[in-house]
Amino acid sequence: MGRVLFSIVLYCSLVLLFDPSFSLPLCSDSTATFTLNTTLEFCPYNGSVCCNSTEDLQLQKQYHAMNISDPSCASVVKSILCARCDPFSAKLFTVDSTPRPVPVLCNSTVSANSSQSNQAATNFCSSVWDTCQNVSFLNSPFAPSLKGQVGVPLDSNASKLTQYWQSETDFCNAFGGASGDGSVCFGGQPVTLNNTGTPSPPHGLCLEKIGNGSYLNMVAHPDGSNRAFFSNQPGKIWMATIPRQGAGGALELDESNPFVDLTDEVYFDTIFGMMGMAFHPNFSQNGRFFASFTCDKVRWQGCTGRCSCNSDVNCDPSKLGPDNGAQPCQHQIVVAEYTVNGTSSQPSLATSAKPTEVRRIFTMGLPFTSHHGGQILFGPADGYLYIMTGDGGGRGDPYNFAQNKKSLLGKIMRLDVNSIPSTEEIDKLGLWGNYSIPNGNPYKEDTGLQPEIWAYGLRNPWRCSFDSERPSYFMCGDVGENTYEEVDIITKNGNYGWRVYEGPNSFSPPDSPSRNTSPNSISPILPVMGYYHSDVNKKEGSASITAGYFYRSMSDPCMYGRYLYADLYATALWAGTETPENSGNFTTNKIPFSCAADSPIPCSSIHGSSLPTLGYIYSFGEDNSKDIFILASSGVYRVVSPSRCNYTCSKENVTVVVSPGPSPSKSHASHLSDPYNSLVLMFSTLLLLLLGFL
């Protein structure tokens, strides 16, 4: 009991020491930044920005309307207005979820934990006061509101700062702030972050084989235990117990006794089948879970839905013709809801589920027989269901579905599956099933576009994940066409370029019935990581990305915080390192990998190579201990301590180990960097002394 209590108290102390807040390029309206080829005419921003030319002109008009007579003050105010264009404007203009009329003005030196550059060390707030305190100008953004809070008053006449604020201290208490760990402040110029150099990549990734089965999906049990769900492409889901590392055990999974068998509904073929599963955030209380799969309306009468090739998107299914022997929209994407068996008050104890749909959430017919996407997952911060769809197939996305916001192909959708509208409302809103549109979806109020869309411009997203420590890092791999495989940070209303771009490169689609999208008409978000096909297969040039997770386990401390992804053909694994942290700037390294000699299930090796025979890497998984798993055609593999494969990791022997309780939860212990080790050890000693007196 004392050991468990110590673990809990130490965990809580570590949470206090390591605030998970962060700074990520994001605009003040919660949309993604975009790239400009030229500098804005009024505001001195280029590259990644939050303003287009129209917004730049609006800021210029606002500035001229102020009629500032003093040139020095005018220059300062202009820079503050233009901070709206800064790629970090979301952080600059929002504090504690409250919007601000001006950015946080740097008013102290940079803290030791700051990732912001030394420009933040300037006491810019003091400089604004000194420069503008006695200058009159109209419509001052520095005036307090009628309620005494920061904001523009209803009656904005010519004013001086001294008319609103008694002193510099009062002024900077309202508008100032310091750059700290996870925050930024405005110092008069575009925000930049320190670049302290890229850490050395891990020497290698050590794997152990714990299962022989071939699975497409893995989801940790929502109850926080050492159980997880695994599903295969034909349509079965199993519940398994994951052995403790070092115990020498294999995955406890009974292939003959699935948790649920949906093979009667699922159409399984090479590129068809069950593509995703998701368990409701409150599964332990309500027993609700969801499956995403493809069906065939020729084989199953329950396979019915609207065709994605329709007049709204200038597509006529009668003109498509058969594809690989299938008629247009013969195959459908289905997302359906199910529930566990029994009437127990604790659904988390259930060991089986009913194979009958509780509710059909979503159905959409597919124009071609490839690029279906199909993964589903719940957002950890908002509780909404995200659905990933490909462009529907065809060479070069012939109907340009991915760029068309009237189409749900090539998209990431966000749905509310807790608020189910009536049949009349569904018909009126033109929804594709039983769900509601969450507030905040970018096109919810636009009746001409699809309100389900969260992001668009994807070819075939294959495996997405939310960072368990920073939920706004929503990462997706997108399969390329001819040359490039990419990893993207997904943001609200983000356009990821396909079919105008393939990765960072422009793409010229072949002749097609649909009008091309001009590169000058979009602001694509370029990938943060990726690789060229020739990097993994110089002869054939074939490749297909399988995206993974940010590594947050304590098993391999040298991998901690890096993003892991692979190629389908299992010849390469990459670790993406963000430098500086929370900047959105990544460098990648291909890392060697091997199998531990003491693996519970022996691994075979590729002939003439030291690489283990993984076959195809279908997917990655993460359990409740944050260990990462590789789901391959040859079995289930877990990332373990590097020393078990004789890889060197200087952090492995100094990492503080916290003994997990009965139900593993988030662990931050392996995040400890060297400067904090002594502090954590001091906390550990104090806590032990404290517990000795309880």
Side-chain angles (χ1 to χ4, degrees):
M1 178 65 182
R3 184 178 179 86
V4 174
L5 182 59
F6 169 67
S7 300
I8 295 172
V9 177
L10 178 56
Y11 168 74
C12 294
S13 301
L14 293 175
V15 170
L16 292 175
L17 284 171
F18 302 103
D19 185 350
S21 59
F22 56 91
S23 296
L24 177 70
L26 190 69
C27 299
S28 55
D29 60 355
S30 298
T31 60
T33 60
F34 48 88
T35 303
L36 291 178
N37 296 325
T38 60
T39 304
L40 295 170
E41 291 189 9
F42 177 66
C43 295
Y45 283 84
N46 57 16
S48 179
V49 297
C50 286
C51 291
N52 56 30
S53 57
T54 301
E55 292 161 330
D56 181 59
L57 179 60
Q58 291 172 345
L59 290 172
Q60 184 178 22
K61 291 179 179 178
Q62 181 183 355
Y63 167 76
H64 287 310
M66 290 181 172
N67 196 24
I68 307 173
S69 59
D70 181 80
S72 297
C73 179
S75 177
V76 168
V77 172
K78 175 184 175 181
S79 70
I80 292 172
L81 292 178
C82 285
R84 285 284 178 190
C85 303
D86 198 283
F88 291 90
S89 63
K91 275 287 185 180
L92 291 173
F93 284 88
T94 306
V95 176
D96 296 330
S97 301
T98 303
R100 298 165 57 94
V102 296
V104 177
L105 306 179
C106 298
N107 71 342
S108 65
T109 56
V110 181
S111 71
N113 296 329
S114 174
S115 62
Q116 194 169 353
S117 68
N118 289 334
Q119 62 163 303
T122 304
N123 197 336
F124 183 65
C125 188
S126 178
S127 298
V128 174
W129 177 265
D130 292 340
T131 305
C132 294
Q133 61 176 316
N134 292 312
V135 178
S136 295
F137 50 94
L138 299 170
N139 304 311
S140 172
F142 303 109
S145 71
L146 297 178
K147 295 181 180 180
Q149 303 298 320
V150 175
V152 180
L154 296 177
D155 184 16
S156 299
N157 296 316
S159 64
K160 301 177 183 179
L161 297 186
T162 51
Q163 291 177 291
Y164 287 114
W165 306 97
Q166 294 183 0
S167 66
E168 175 189 326
T169 301
D170 290 340
F171 175 76
C172 287
N173 282 340
F175 296 103
S179 172
D181 188 11
S183 66
V184 293
C185 60
F186 186 69
Q189 296 180 5
V191 172
T192 57
L193 302 180
N194 288 323
N195 190 337
T196 56
T198 303
S200 300
H203 290 176
L205 197 70
C206 186
L207 307 175
E208 67 172 1
K209 187 176 183 180
I210 62 170
N212 286 316
S214 177
Y215 310 104
L216 206 60
N217 300 279
M218 172 186 172
V219 177
H221 199 296
D223 69 354
S225 69
N226 63 335
R227 296 182 296 170
F229 294 96
F230 292 81
S231 68
N232 66 2
Q233 198 170 341
K236 292 182 180 180
I237 299 175
W238 291 267
M239 185 166 60
T241 300
I242 299 171
R244 179 175 56 86
Q245 277 200 44
L251 194 67
E252 296 179 22
L253 184 152
D254 184 359
E255 286 275 0
S256 66
N257 187 26
F259 178 75
V260 68
D261 184 347
L262 304 178
T263 53
D264 287 342
E265 299 182 9
V266 175
Y267 173 60
F268 167 59
D269 200 350
T270 308
I271 53 177
F272 293 98
M274 182 185 290
M275 296 299 170
M277 61 176 174
F279 290 76
H280 194 278
N282 295 325
F283 172 80
S284 296
Q285 289 75 45
N286 60 31
R288 299 172 66 191
F289 68 98
F290 303 80
S292 169
F293 55 89
T294 48
C295 64
D296 186 335
K297 64 182 183 181
V298 174
R299 291 174 169 83
W300 179 44
Q301 63 180 4
C303 187
T304 58
R306 200 178 348 156
C307 187
S308 58
C309 172
N310 54 56
S311 58
D312 290 342
V313 292
N314 298 317
C315 180
D316 183 352
S318 67
K319 296 181 179 179
L320 292 184
D323 183 36
N324 291 325
Q327 295 298 318
C329 293
Q330 176 179 329
H331 301 119
Q332 310 263 329
I333 292 176
V334 171
V335 177
E337 178 181 340
Y338 302 86
T339 188
V340 299
N341 275 327
T343 58
S344 171
S345 60
Q346 293 181 284
S348 62
L349 299 179
T351 57
S352 62
K354 303 171 185 176
T356 305
E357 293 182 29
V358 173
R359 183 180 294 110
R360 176 68 59 85
I361 299 296
F362 179 88
T363 313
M364 181 174 68
L366 297 164
F368 305 107
T369 58
S370 59
H371 307 176
H372 308 145
Q375 185 188 6
I376 55 175
L377 71 167
F378 280 94
D382 56 27
Y384 294 128
L385 184 68
Y386 290 78
I387 303 176
M388 278 53 81
T389 63
D391 64 13
R395 184 167 171 247
D397 188 10
Y399 283 86
N400 203 16
F401 289 132
Q403 285 297 317
N404 190 337
K405 286 177 280 190
K406 293 182 179 181
S407 169
L408 290 179
L409 293 169
K411 306 297 189 297
I412 292 176
M413 294 180 274
R414 188 176 77 144
L415 311 181
D416 180 353
V417 295
N418 292 320
S419 301
I420 305 300
S422 65
T423 302
E424 293 75 17
E425 289 176 303
I426 291 172
D427 292 339
K428 180 180 178 181
L429 296 172
L431 302 182
W432 298 72
N434 295 284
Y435 54 86
S436 293
I437 304 300
N439 291 330
N441 274 24
Y443 306 113
K444 180 176 182 178
E445 306 302 327
D446 193 329
T447 57
L449 303 178
Q450 297 291 330
E452 296 88 349
I453 295 172
W454 183 253
Y456 63 105
L458 296 136
R459 182 176 178 271
N460 194 31
W462 190 249
R463 290 356 204 185
C464 303
S465 66
F466 289 92
D467 184 4
S468 60
E469 289 198 0
R470 303 171 299 176
S472 82
Y473 270 70
F474 181 16
M475 313 296 290
C476 277
D478 195 20
V479 179
E481 173 111 348
N482 296 323
T483 59
Y484 196 83
E485 305 295 307
E486 66 184 86
V487 178
D488 301 299
I489 298 178
I490 302 299
T491 58
K492 175 182 177 181
N493 202 26
N495 181 355
Y496 295 88
W498 177 252
R499 68 178 186 171
V500 184
Y501 290 86
E502 181 187 5
N505 309 309
S506 59
F507 179 81
S508 298
D511 293 338
S512 66
S514 181
R515 181 183 301 175
N516 290 340
T517 299
S518 167
N520 296 328
S521 67
I522 67 171
S523 299
I525 300 173
L526 299 181
V528 294
M529 289 172 276
Y531 56 96
Y532 287 93
H533 291 192
S534 58
D535 293 341
V536 296
N537 194 329
K538 297 186 183 302
K539 292 182 179 179
E540 297 179 18
S542 59
S544 180
I545 193 170
T546 302
Y549 289 84
F550 279 102
Y551 189 84
R552 296 299 182 187
S553 170
M554 45 197 305
S555 299
D556 185 347
C558 287
M559 270 297 297
Y560 191 90
R562 302 176 195 262
Y563 182 79
L564 186 64
Y565 61 101
D567 187 73
L568 170 70
Y569 298 102
T571 57
L573 286 166
W574 287 267
T577 305
E578 190 181 21
T579 310
E581 189 176 0
N582 304 315
S583 65
N585 298 317
F586 288 82
T587 56
T588 57
N589 297 96
K590 190 183 295 186
I591 53 174
F593 59 97
S594 58
C595 200
D598 60 350
S599 174
I601 299 176
C603 301
S604 58
S605 298
I606 297 175
H607 180 69
S609 170
S610 61
L611 292 175
T613 308
L614 301 183
Y616 297 103
I617 297 179
Y618 293 139
S619 191
F620 287 84
E622 182 182 53
D623 68 5
N624 284 314
S625 295
K626 304 309 173 192
D627 277 325
I628 297 299
F629 297 75
I630 293 176
L631 309 184
S633 58
S634 64
V636 179
Y637 299 80
R638 173 166 54 185
V639 178
V640 295
S641 303
S643 58
R644 289 178 58 185
C645 292
N646 296 318
Y647 291 130
T648 301
C649 173
S650 61
K651 298 179 181 180
E652 185 175 356
N653 295 327
V654 298
T655 302
V656 177
V657 177
V658 178
S659 300
S663 297
S665 58
K666 292 182 180 178
S667 172
H668 293 70
S670 61
H671 194 172
L672 304 183
S673 55
D674 293 337
Y676 294 101
N677 282 342
S678 59
L679 182 59
V680 172
L681 290 173
M682 179 185 72
F683 262 76
S684 303
T685 305
L686 289 173
L687 288 167
L688 282 171
L689 291 173
L690 176 63
L691 289 170
F693 289 99
L694 293 177

